[in-house]
Amino acid sequence: MKYKEIISKMTREEKASLMSGKDFWQTMDIERLGIPSIFLADGPHGIRKQAEAADHLGLNESIPATCFPTAATVANSWNEELAMQMGTYLGKEAVEQKVNVLLGPGINMKRSPLSGRNFEYFSEDPYLAGKLAAGMIKGIQSYGISACVKHFAVNNQEERRMSIDTIVDERTLREMYLTAFEMAVKEGETKAVMSAYNKLNGEYTNENMDLMKQILRDDWNYDGVVVTDWGGSNERVAGLIAGNELEMPTTAGETNQDIVTAIESGEIKEDVLDQCVDRLLDLVFTTEKAFKQKPKTVDKKEHHQMAQRVAEESIILLKNEANILPLQQDKTVAVIGDFARETRYQGAGSSIVNPTFLDHPLDLLEETELNSIGYEQGFDRYGKRSTRKINKACALAEQADVVLLYMGLDEVTEAEGLDRQSMDIPANQIELLDALYEVNPNIVVVLSCGAAVEMPWMTKVKGLVHAYLSGQAGAKAVQRIITGAVNPSGKLAETYPLRYEDTPASHQFPGKEVSVEYREGPYIGYRYYDTADVNVLFPFGYGLSYTSFGYSDIKVSEEGVTFNITNTGEVAGKEVAQLYVRCQSKAIFRPDKELKGFIKVDLNAGETKTVTLLFDDKTFRYFNVKTNQWEIESADYKIMIGAASDDIRLEDVIFIEGTEAPLPYDKDKLPSYYSGKVNDVSIEEFETLLGHKVPDPKWDRNKPLGYNDTIAQCQYAKGLFARFAFKLIKLSHKFLWKIGKRDTANLIMMSVYHMPFRGYARMTGGVINMPMVDGVLMIVNGHFFKGMRHVLRERKKLVKLNKDKGEFGTSKTGEGEVL
């Protein structure tokens, strides 16, 4: 241990106190030993440090900080160096705001396009996500503070995220859902990892010994800190045994006492606690050094310009019929759409950043050379239909050569804690587009959303620029792309299917009650579409440019692949070359191709560059469930260089000597997985892949509700009061949504409806404790008066205890928490 001497001077109670927060965002300090508190703040794409009332939901405004493009946007840059540079800017701002641990990046896989938090994650591909995350982590930590990669692991839905049980086979887990984390740990050398809320194959992730001990600590040699997601601790002692050092936020000492009691009873040895304290102290002392240097002064304009640069490399040109873009100066333009007036630039929830500046498209019109003839709102961003708005927009469009239409998803549709209900753009926007097409077919759409959407309207637009959620300077970046000042170079980090029903997990997303089954196995995103030969709207890796590129002269060796790229057009541009690998053997099922490398190349018109992509330890491996380790199959491997997953320009073959491991599968029993057609796998075949039976995915309606059950389940409760509360919450949500209070309606679903009962103790900083939750559960289960007496009695005890400690009347979490 590094801090054995300090730890030897601590009481058992002091050591336990370090294992949970001091308040909502800070760790506990021990002044007599010189151990300071450290501050943790949300920050996947900008610092969200709240100056006053603390919450985890993005309700209260934070100190202004640069709002960079979200991870879903940055991924489209396919530029690891750019991600690292963005990370350095984040790290510098964190130091200025005295933030020790920046809670990001988020690297969960995009299993389904409907996952509500996709805007905060990089990709459907673990290699791309891992490389970009590693780069960003290096940048953040270059200033001495810590990144905190999240959410470990398989947190791929928002509905019931605090209690859902993710059922996934071991090979899929390792190859698809853990590889990006492995890269973040090994290549990015992250100092902190955040455990996910959900269960993994029956155990909460922060208590899962296979995940936390065997894989994270032993296989990957991780020696940093694991912190729970806020309110994400189930059994505190079980989490500590698994190596989960820090529980956040504070529980006002309740779970610290659980640790002390467990040691005193012999349930765990004190060495377990000491090891966790040692790792936490290392995080505390190493990050505190960042603030002892000369204070970093942030140039807000410089950081705004960096946000613009990231956006410019990440925005994607998806359609450019008849070269309608870039817009010509002699063409008149009608600007239409609510998102032109008030830009959509980030998601909702704990990652909300209070930007230092904020560009809006309309405000920038005077700076451009666009020949604008005016603006019309055209639609209400929250979906309300208006014939008057459409008619006014059409009247303006008739007078213009080109219609510049800003469309997208609104702020309450893409939010933490809630999954999307469909892949549709709101109907009132499509109604407007249809009407505009009738009067002027020269339409260029600027799309703003953080995840894939269906586009049955694509035939009615000539140009499509996808801005994703491009941060506070995104509007300026879009303007520079549509005017030709910047040549677009973004490429999709996720596939756009023709319709939701085409997605491999459509039958198994989200898990509604006890569990969610990953029956599609490793076939997510392009791995499925390319293997099962399913047509898509836009393939993984796709993106247009104002120039063209040629590929030639491929050479493959045991070290890697070399080839030439030539800019065959008339303007300078950047091309993303992608390395895919296909195993030619059919002995073990695999996707048709898998991304194993990429590079972004900057080329002047007519210029040729020679590019080399090296193979690494992930190029040919697969996880063998029989040997329980990574293996390589002896086989011919096709090496493919492409401009997108379906646009392969160069090919060659190399034989790779393998590890000669035993075959892990019986091919005859897994026909769906060997064909890749996995969008509707039977439960019997899935259980064969798993190697065991799946749990019943439905709630037991006759069982009393417990700590990990939710308000949603109160519809089946024995207690009349609980059933009434359930109906009241449902009615409140419906009413608030109808009157336009959609943020509040979403908040009810996220922080009340889907919150496990234990969460009310874990998230209220000691205002409610677990004995009080016991009383609430008595009420819920039909013992109203007994339960109410228990709640009042335990509340009285808690008040007295706090008075005795001199703490009564002071909330440890600040004001404004959601109870």
Side-chain angles (χ1 to χ4, degrees):
M1 294 194 299
K2 293 182 181 179
Y3 302 95
K4 190 172 182 179
E5 186 177 346
I6 296 176
I7 294 171
S8 69
K9 297 176 182 177
M10 293 183 195
T11 65
R12 186 175 292 162
E13 287 73 18
E14 284 176 326
K15 287 185 284 189
S17 75
L18 293 175
M19 297 292 95
S20 64
K22 177 181 180 179
D23 53 28
F24 211 81
W25 295 113
Q26 294 184 91
T27 64
M28 184 62 73
D29 60 308
I30 302 178
E31 190 174 344
R32 74 177 185 87
L33 295 174
I35 301 171
S37 296
I38 61 172
F39 199 100
L40 300 89
D42 282 309
H45 61 274
I47 317 300
R48 190 178 81 91
K49 182 178 182 181
Q50 292 168 309
E52 297 178 5
D55 71 84
H56 191 52
L57 307 172
L59 296 178
N60 299 309
E61 197 170 79
S62 55
I63 298 168
T66 308
C67 181
F68 290 93
T70 68
T73 315
V74 178
N76 299 327
S77 74
W78 291 67
N79 191 333
E80 187 179 353
E81 180 67 28
L82 185 70
M84 185 165 67
Q85 290 175 9
M86 175 176 150
T88 63
Y89 280 73
L90 287 169
K92 186 173 184 178
E93 291 195 28
V95 171
E96 185 196 48
Q97 294 194 23
K98 296 195 180 306
V99 170
N100 301 71
V101 180
L102 202 53
L103 302 176
I107 58 174
N108 294 101
M109 291 296 98
K110 297 186 179 185
R111 176 181 181 242
S112 168
L114 296 187
S115 179
R117 213 165 175 179
N118 275 351
F119 64 86
E120 210 171 318
Y121 301 138
F122 287 106
S123 179
E124 67 189 32
D125 182 85
Y127 191 87
L128 178 59
K131 284 292 183 184
L132 293 173
M136 191 172 290
I137 291 164
K138 290 175 187 175
I140 291 168
Q141 296 187 166
S142 68
Y143 274 91
I145 63 153
S146 172
C148 182
V149 67
K150 61 185 186 181
H151 306 87
F152 189 61
V154 288
N155 180 187
N156 304 109
Q157 71 176 63
E158 291 298 287
E159 185 171 332
R160 290 188 50 76
R161 61 180 179 167
M162 294 186 78
S163 54
I164 197 75
D165 188 4
T166 300
I167 310 300
V168 59
D169 69 280
E170 186 71 15
R171 180 181 170 199
T172 298
L173 174 68
R174 298 286 191 127
E175 292 185 9
M176 296 305 304
Y177 296 101
L178 297 186
T179 291
F181 285 99
E182 178 186 358
M183 296 167 77
V185 168
K186 291 183 176 180
E187 298 179 27
E189 298 182 330
T190 185
K191 296 177 182 178
V193 171
M194 182 186 290
S195 56
Y197 283 127
N198 53 281
K199 291 180 180 178
L200 169 59
N201 293 326
E203 293 183 282
Y204 280 98
T205 59
N206 77 310
E207 301 169 10
N208 191 304
M209 294 295 284
D210 284 342
L211 185 67
M212 290 292 171
K213 281 284 193 183
Q214 178 61 49
I215 296 173
L216 180 62
R217 301 287 186 189
D218 296 341
D219 292 356
W220 299 350
N221 296 316
Y222 178 67
D223 62 356
V225 166
V226 176
V227 55
T228 67
D229 203 341
W230 266 235
S233 176
N234 176 49
E235 292 286 345
R236 184 65 189 100
V237 174
L240 193 77
I241 292 170
N244 191 157
E245 287 82 12
L246 182 59
E247 176 187 16
M248 292 296 289
T250 182
T251 59
E254 184 176 18
T255 56
N256 301 341
Q257 186 56 48
D258 292 342
I259 295 170
V260 172
T261 301
I263 293 172
E264 290 174 346
S265 69
E267 182 181 352
I268 59 172
K269 294 181 179 180
E270 194 154 353
D271 281 351
V272 173
L273 176 59
D274 290 348
Q275 292 287 346
C276 289
V277 170
D278 190 66
R279 289 193 289 261
L280 182 68
L281 288 178
D282 196 48
L283 182 68
V284 170
F285 290 130
T286 56
T287 58
E288 275 294 291
K289 291 177 183 177
F291 311 124
K292 294 179 181 178
Q293 303 167 7
K294 184 178 179 182
K296 308 295 180 185
T297 302
V298 171
D299 185 330
K300 293 180 181 179
K301 289 186 178 180
E302 178 192 340
H303 284 229
H304 182 74
Q305 289 168 354
M306 180 61 188
Q308 179 183 318
R309 184 184 153 206
V310 175
E312 287 173 357
E313 280 212 31
S314 305
I315 291 168
I316 311 166
L317 179 62
L318 291 177
K319 187 175 183 180
N320 195 19
E321 185 179 319
N323 292 322
I324 194 169
L325 292 172
L327 296 175
Q328 303 302 310
Q329 294 180 32
D330 61 345
K331 302 292 185 182
T332 56
V333 177
V335 180
I336 296 171
D338 193 46
F339 295 107
R341 180 183 61 179
E342 188 177 341
T343 191
R344 174 85 205 286
Y345 64 102
Q346 65 174 330
S350 64
S351 66
I352 287 180
V353 178
N354 181 17
T356 53
F357 306 102
L358 183 56
D359 293 337
H360 297 286
L362 273 185
D363 298 337
L364 299 171
L365 277 179
E366 294 180 3
E367 302 176 16
T368 73
E369 297 175 349
L370 288 179
N371 187 7
S372 172
I373 62 168
Y375 164 77
E376 286 295 339
Q377 182 182 355
F379 63 85
D380 173 82
R381 77 200 288 126
Y382 295 111
K384 186 177 180 182
R385 295 181 69 248
S386 172
T387 303
R388 183 181 63 84
K389 284 186 173 73
I390 290 175
N391 290 339
K392 291 179 72 175
C394 288
L396 180 65
E398 283 183 303
Q399 304 170 43
D401 295 319
V402 178
V403 175
L404 188 56
L405 175 60
Y406 286 79
M407 298 170 58
L409 298 178
D410 60 69
E411 288 79 357
V412 298
T413 299
E414 297 182 283
E416 178 185 353
L418 300 162
D419 295 312
R420 291 161 62 204
Q421 299 304 302
S422 78
M423 286 182 65
D424 298 336
I425 292 288
N428 66 330
Q429 295 185 40
I430 308 307
E431 188 179 358
L432 169 65
L433 175 58
D434 291 341
L436 291 172
Y437 181 75
E438 295 300 319
V439 300
N440 189 338
N442 295 317
I443 299 172
V444 173
V445 165
V446 176
L447 186 65
S448 295
C449 52
V453 293
E454 291 181 10
M455 302 184 194
W457 40 265
M458 268 294 297
T459 56
K460 295 184 177 180
V461 305
K462 287 188 175 178
L464 177 58
V465 175
H466 200 335
Y468 267 75
L469 299 179
S470 46
Q472 66 181 49
K476 179 72 175 218
V478 168
Q479 175 211 94
R480 283 169 55 78
I481 284 171
I482 63 178
T483 59
V486 169
N487 190 349
S489 62
K491 295 207 174 191
L492 288 173
E494 60 188 317
T495 308
Y496 274 55
L498 288 168
R499 57 190 191 128
Y500 177 66
E501 290 75 15
D502 293 336
T503 63
S506 59
H507 294 291
Q508 302 292 332
F509 180 92
K512 287 289 187 180
E513 296 190 8
V514 172
S515 61
V516 56
E517 297 166 9
Y518 284 37
R519 294 194 193 182
E520 70 282 358
Y523 297 98
I524 70 171
Y526 73 91
R527 284 171 167 78
Y528 167 69
Y529 302 113
D530 289 357
T531 307
D533 197 23
V534 175
N535 290 330
V536 299
L537 180 63
F538 295 116
F540 177 78
Y542 176 84
L544 300 175
S545 170
Y546 294 148
T547 189
S548 56
F549 299 95
Y551 291 68
S552 63
D553 199 20
I554 185 171
K555 293 183 178 67
V556 177
S557 69
E558 291 184 358
E559 287 73 38
V561 55
T562 300
F563 54 95
N564 292 336
I565 301 181
T566 302
N567 183 338
T568 55
E570 298 180 354
V571 295
K574 297 177 181 179
E575 171 69 335
V576 176
Q578 302 155 39
L579 165 63
Y580 295 92
V581 174
R582 175 190 300 148
C583 181
Q584 305 283 54
S585 168
K586 302 300 181 185
I588 300 170
F589 67 82
R590 290 191 177 191
D592 176 71
K593 63 177 74 74
E594 296 182 277
L595 183 75
K596 299 297 181 179
F598 59 90
I599 189 170
K600 196 163 195 175
V601 185
D602 195 350
L603 295 161
N604 291 322
E607 184 180 9
T608 297
K609 287 185 179 178
T610 300
V611 173
T612 298
L613 291 171
L614 298 175
F615 301 148
D616 61 22
D617 64 328
K618 298 168 186 66
T619 305
F620 304 108
R621 75 179 189 176
Y622 75 97
F623 192 82
N624 188 304
V625 294
K626 193 167 275 189
T627 64
N628 197 38
Q629 63 185 20
W630 295 101
E631 305 284 2
I632 295 175
E633 191 176 359
S634 292
D636 286 329
Y637 290 81
K638 184 169 283 188
I639 307 301
M640 297 169 280
I641 301 297
S645 68
D646 74 339
D647 185 11
I648 302 302
R649 305 291 184 88
L650 302 171
E651 294 182 356
D652 203 347
V653 175
I654 185 173
F655 177 80
I656 299 295
E657 192 72 44
T659 53
E660 305 305 331
L663 292 178
Y665 305 116
D666 183 340
K667 188 175 183 178
D668 294 335
K669 294 181 179 179
L670 299 169
S672 299
Y673 297 103
Y674 274 89
S675 70
K677 296 178 180 179
V678 295
N679 62 328
D680 197 12
V681 175
S682 70
I683 189 169
E684 292 79 13
E685 189 175 353
F686 181 53
E687 288 179 339
T688 299
L689 180 69
L690 278 174
H692 58 79
K693 292 286 186 182
V694 300
D696 186 346
K698 298 292 186 182
W699 290 316
D700 183 348
R701 268 66 170 170
N702 299 313
K703 185 179 177 182
L705 299 186
Y707 292 139
N708 291 318
D709 295 314
T710 67
I711 291 291
Q713 292 165 256
C714 285
Q715 59 189 301
Y716 310 115
K718 292 181 180 179
L720 180 64
F721 180 82
R723 294 198 300 274
F724 173 75
F726 167 79
K727 291 179 180 178
L728 183 63
I729 288 167
K730 288 283 284 187
L731 183 65
S732 299
H733 176 268
K734 186 175 181 180
F735 174 72
L736 289 166
W737 190 267
K738 190 171 184 179
I739 65 173
K741 300 288 186 181
R742 298 182 180 186
D743 282 333
T744 307
N746 281 352
L747 185 62
I748 286 175
M749 297 302 288
M750 174 182 169
S751 61
V752 179
Y753 190 78
H754 290 304
M755 178 76 76
F757 286 101
R758 65 175 165 80
Y760 298 107
R762 298 293 189 248
M763 290 289 280
T764 57
V767 176
I768 298 173
N769 62 13
M770 289 302 286
M772 292 170 68
V773 172
D774 290 335
V776 171
L777 286 170
M778 290 177 195
I779 295 170
V780 166
N781 289 314
H783 305 286
F784 181 84
F785 294 107
K786 181 181 178 181
M788 184 59 71
R789 286 194 299 270
H790 188 88
V791 170
L792 295 174
R793 183 168 61 248
E794 292 301 328
R795 177 61 185 165
K796 188 176 181 180
K797 288 181 185 177
L798 184 63
V799 169
K800 183 178 184 303
L801 179 65
N802 285 334
K803 276 184 177 179
D804 292 342
K805 291 180 178 179
E807 295 174 1
F808 179 64
T810 302
S811 169
K812 286 184 172 294
T813 59
E815 300 171 357
E817 291 89 343
V818 178
L819 306 187

